[in-house]
Amino acid sequence: MDTSPERSEATPDARARATAGGERPAVLQARGLVKRYGQVTALNGTDFDLHAGEILAVIGDNGAGKSTLIKALSGALIPDEGEIRLDGRVVHFRSPMDARRAGIETVYQDLAVAPAMSIAENLYLGRELRRAGVLGRVFRLLDHRRMREGAEQHLRELQIGVRSMTQAVETLSGGQRQGVAVARSAAFARHVVIMDEPTAALGVKEGGMVLALIRRVRDRGLPVVLISHNMPHVFEVADRIHVARLGRRVAVLDPREVSMSDAVAVMTGAVEVEGARR
Amino acid sequence: MATAVPSAPAPNPPARLTLRERLPSIGTLGPFVALLLACAFFATRHERFLTGENFALVLQQVMVVGVIAIGQTLVILTAGIDLSCGMVMALGGVVMARLATSMGIPAPAAIAAGIGVTTLFGAVNGLLVTRIRLPPFIVTLGTLNIAFAATQLYSDAQTITEVPPVMVALGNTFPVAGTRVVYGVVLMLVLYLLAAVILRQTAAGRHVYAVGNNPEATRLLGIDTSRVLLAVYTLAGALYGVAALLSVARTGVGDPNAGQTENLDAITAVVLGGTSLFGGRGLLLGSLVGALIVGVFRNGLTLMGVSSVYQVLVTGVLVILAVATDQLSRREGR
């Protein structure tokens, strides 16, 4: 990724733009993103704004470009045109790892955990803690105890009730598994957590549990991007709703001001909303 | 921060695990129990079974399969399979024996060359699996045949005799409480311990499990899954080379027809040891137990005078039992 010193001139500008409307500063922004696959244009110049301390839902019909947008923001693909700014600084993610290093963590729908491995191992997978001293540095031995304690703390902070960090993730309920994935993201994200359909595979009660979890992540200071097909869930937790359609952002809605059917109408193109556009 | 130590006690401390949850699962304990039962059974059938001498013999017979099974376990943990293991080992044995005899190359260099060839085969398996994304089953079925043909061509299908003493040194014995134990057995046990520690105590080892568990999630977490796979197949190849050296040491010759029973025996040992063919779960030491189960059955049935055809039959039944247990326990775990 690019860590060039564009920050100095970009930041005041970005802050000014964001605060002009009396809003919180933008954490993650995109302008004019384009992504084409041969004849198909998945992103057709879409914009994106995520503000500090909010849950921003991204909704859109199939093919609206929301998953392409999320992939671009999380480094899973490289857009053909446009720019992405993190804290006002232009970034170029070449891989999901770049985005993670920059502080953006993503929770993927079904692919989040290694079922036979323990909760602690899952939490620290790819970021294992090694023992202090020669054992860690030379022999590269892992510090299982420190990872267990760390995992316990992270899960406790998010009030995810599981008994033992050495339990295999497959022994947990669907909601708890998603909780582990969310806790991992929240533990390591410095700027943004992106969640792709986190409640899709869950029942009513478990879905509600994950929604509460998403709020807790936000309340701890991390802005959340929530991709969901589930309108009641979106309206329950979102602070703002980004509506994607035909590869663009057609509206940003306030869930307190519009109804679910309005949102669906905008999403499907039944209603054109110029006023809602920001 | 990720590394912070919890300062305040939990407001609602999570309950401890029940005793039943703390006990190792059937999948982990099963192989040990099976081995004990087999030993108990044969002890009642033949008075010579329960002697140190006989156990030393079983260990000696098991050491080649045992070392191959380490490599095979690594591969199966990643949800792969290596059908070429025994044939690659045979090639390694023939290469080191021939280089040391008719080529007159010093034994240590010849041994290194033999292990080099098997390592190369492992790397080729790994490259085909990761770069071209071919299924491991097909890749290793191909290299199985290639290694077999190469072995026959390179040795002119002749057994290579009169290998230098250095090459068979691991076949020498030392006394343990009055029983002669082969050095190769010690090497096998050391390799098991080393590999078990790496798998359990290092990030690289945990990544092997992670790749077998959920390759996509592992990749998205920034772990280079191709690198893990390539390393696993290459390391497995190197272990087949060590097994080749043990095979030469045990038989005293470079045998182009070696590895034919070891090929499937190694997979049998891994499966009997409780490692799931679906990847991501299993214990390395289970594979040693699995190899011992096969060895004990062969040995016990031989002592009882049962024909070797029945030994093969029993091995087949054991494998199906082991895989069925794996399947059923997985279904329960869901």
Side-chain angles (χ1 to χ4, degrees), chain B:
Chain B
M1 228 16 247
T3 53
V5 177
S7 47
N12 202 351
R16 292 286 133 203
L17 289 181
T18 60
L19 184 65
R20 198 167 164 275
E21 285 168 312
R22 277 164 179 275
L23 285 175
S25 63
I26 303 231
T28 322
L29 271 183
F32 292 89
V33 174
L35 179 60
L36 285 178
L37 286 178
C39 288
F41 172 75
F42 287 117
T44 64
R45 294 280 136 176
H46 203 285
E47 70 276 8
R48 249 188 55 207
F49 180 80
L50 218 54
T51 59
E53 191 191 343
N54 191 47
F55 276 125
L57 180 68
V58 171
L59 280 171
Q60 187 194 335
Q61 284 165 343
V62 154
M63 70 185 181
V64 175
V65 171
V67 171
I68 296 176
I70 299 175
Q72 189 68 254
T73 308
L74 295 177
V75 172
I76 291 180
L77 278 176
T78 66
I81 188 118
D82 192 345
L83 299 176
S84 71
C85 57
M87 296 304 133
V88 170
M89 180 208 80
L91 178 62
V94 164
V95 166
M96 58 179 77
R98 176 125 193 245
L99 285 179
T101 52
S102 47
M103 305 283 169
I105 289 171
I111 291 169
I115 295 177
V117 167
T118 61
T119 308
L120 192 70
F121 258 83
V124 168
N125 281 338
L127 283 172
L128 289 171
V129 168
T130 55
R131 296 280 176 273
I132 314 187
R133 293 176 193 282
L134 298 176
F137 188 92
I138 302 300
V139 168
T140 55
L141 191 62
T143 46
L144 176 157
N145 286 299
I146 294 167
F148 177 75
T151 307
Q152 300 299 327
L153 291 172
Y154 189 67
S155 64
D156 291 327
Q158 300 293 313
T159 300
I160 299 151
T161 52
E162 292 167 18
V163 296
V166 177
M167 206 167 269
V168 295
L170 285 169
N172 295 339
T173 61
F174 65 99
V176 176
T179 312
R180 317 273 334 161
V181 177
V182 179
Y183 283 108
V185 168
V186 178
L187 177 63
M188 173 186 77
L189 295 176
V190 168
L191 286 175
Y192 263 98
L193 281 179
L194 203 65
V197 168
I198 290 170
L199 276 177
R200 174 85 193 106
Q201 300 292 343
T202 72
R206 300 322 292 167
H207 294 172
V208 171
Y209 279 86
V211 168
N213 252 280
N214 193 339
E216 188 61 9
T218 309
R219 192 183 63 80
L220 289 170
L221 282 170
I223 295 165
D224 188 342
T225 52
S226 292
R227 228 181 78 190
V228 173
L229 285 172
L230 184 58
V232 160
Y233 281 92
T234 308
L235 193 60
L239 285 160
Y240 305 153
V242 176
L245 176 61
L246 288 176
S247 176
V248 172
R250 188 161 81 85
T251 57
V253 295
D255 179 5
N257 294 317
Q260 308 210 345
T261 56
E262 281 88 345
N263 211 24
L264 286 179
D265 276 4
I267 297 171
T268 306
V270 176
V271 173
L272 282 178
T275 296
S276 170
L277 284 174
F278 304 98
R281 19 185 126 222
L283 280 181
L284 180 69
L285 291 179
S287 301
L288 176 59
V289 174
L292 285 172
I293 291 174
V294 176
V296 161
F297 265 93
R298 291 255 160 88
N299 172 268
L301 293 173
T302 308
L303 284 177
M304 285 167 66
V306 176
S307 131
S308 62
V309 178
Y310 285 99
Q311 301 175 15
V312 177
L313 188 117
V314 168
T315 315
V317 172
L318 283 176
V319 172
I320 291 173
L321 276 178
V323 177
T325 316
D326 174 30
Q327 263 290 15
L328 293 174
S329 70
R330 257 172 77 85
R331 224 169 283 162
E332 211 171 283
R334 284 282 145 128

Side-chain angles (χ1 to χ4, degrees), chain A residues 2 4 87 150 189 227:
Chain A
D2 190 307
S4 63
D87 276 344
I227 299 95

Side-chain angles (χ1 to χ4, degrees), chain A residues 232-259:
Chain A
H233 285 176
V234 165
F235 272 75
E236 200 181 325
V237 294
D239 297 308
R240 294 189 311 141
I241 302 172
H242 167 131
V243 186
R245 193 174 132 67
L246 302 174
R248 309 181 70 103
R249 177 173 69 181
V250 291
V252 177
L253 307 173
D254 184 335
R256 285 156 302 187
E257 288 169 8
V258 298
S259 70

Side-chain angles (χ1 to χ4, degrees), chain A residues 49 77 83 138 176 178 203 226 255 268:
Chain A
D49 289 272
L77 64 79
E83 67 171 27
V138 180
Q176 287 174 322
Q178 197 61 270
L226 170 70
T268 53

Side-chain angles (χ1 to χ4, degrees), chain A residues 152-263:
Chain A
E152 220 163 86
Q153 192 202 1
H154 290 308
L155 265 67
R156 195 165 54 223
E157 276 173 13
L158 291 174
Q159 300 169 32
I160 303 165
V162 289
R163 280 178 297 170
S164 163
M165 295 305 123
T166 55
Q167 251 176 297
V169 167
E170 65 195 348
T171 63
L172 302 175
S173 71
Q176 287 174 322
R177 280 186 216 191
Q178 197 61 270
V180 171
V182 171
R184 172 168 62 201
S185 307
F188 294 103
R190 294 189 314 281
H191 295 293
V192 180
V193 177
I194 299 174
M195 302 195 199
D196 188 5
E197 298 279 2
T199 58
L202 303 177
V204 176
K205 188 166 163 253
E206 302 242 282
M209 191 187 113
V210 170
L211 291 183
L213 198 55
I214 295 171
R215 278 201 209 94
R216 265 177 239 132
V217 171
R218 174 199 58 194
D219 295 345
R220 286 181 62 230
L222 279 170
V224 176
V225 182
L226 170 70
I227 299 95
S228 184
H229 269 107
N230 187 319
M231 283 297 155
H233 285 176
V234 165
F235 272 75
E236 200 181 325
V237 294
D239 297 308
R240 294 189 311 141
I241 302 172
H242 167 131
V243 186
R245 193 174 132 67
L246 302 174
R248 309 181 70 103
R249 177 173 69 181
V250 291
V252 177
L253 307 173
D254 184 335
R256 285 156 302 187
E257 288 169 8
V258 298
S259 70
M260 256 182 241
S261 51
D262 290 343

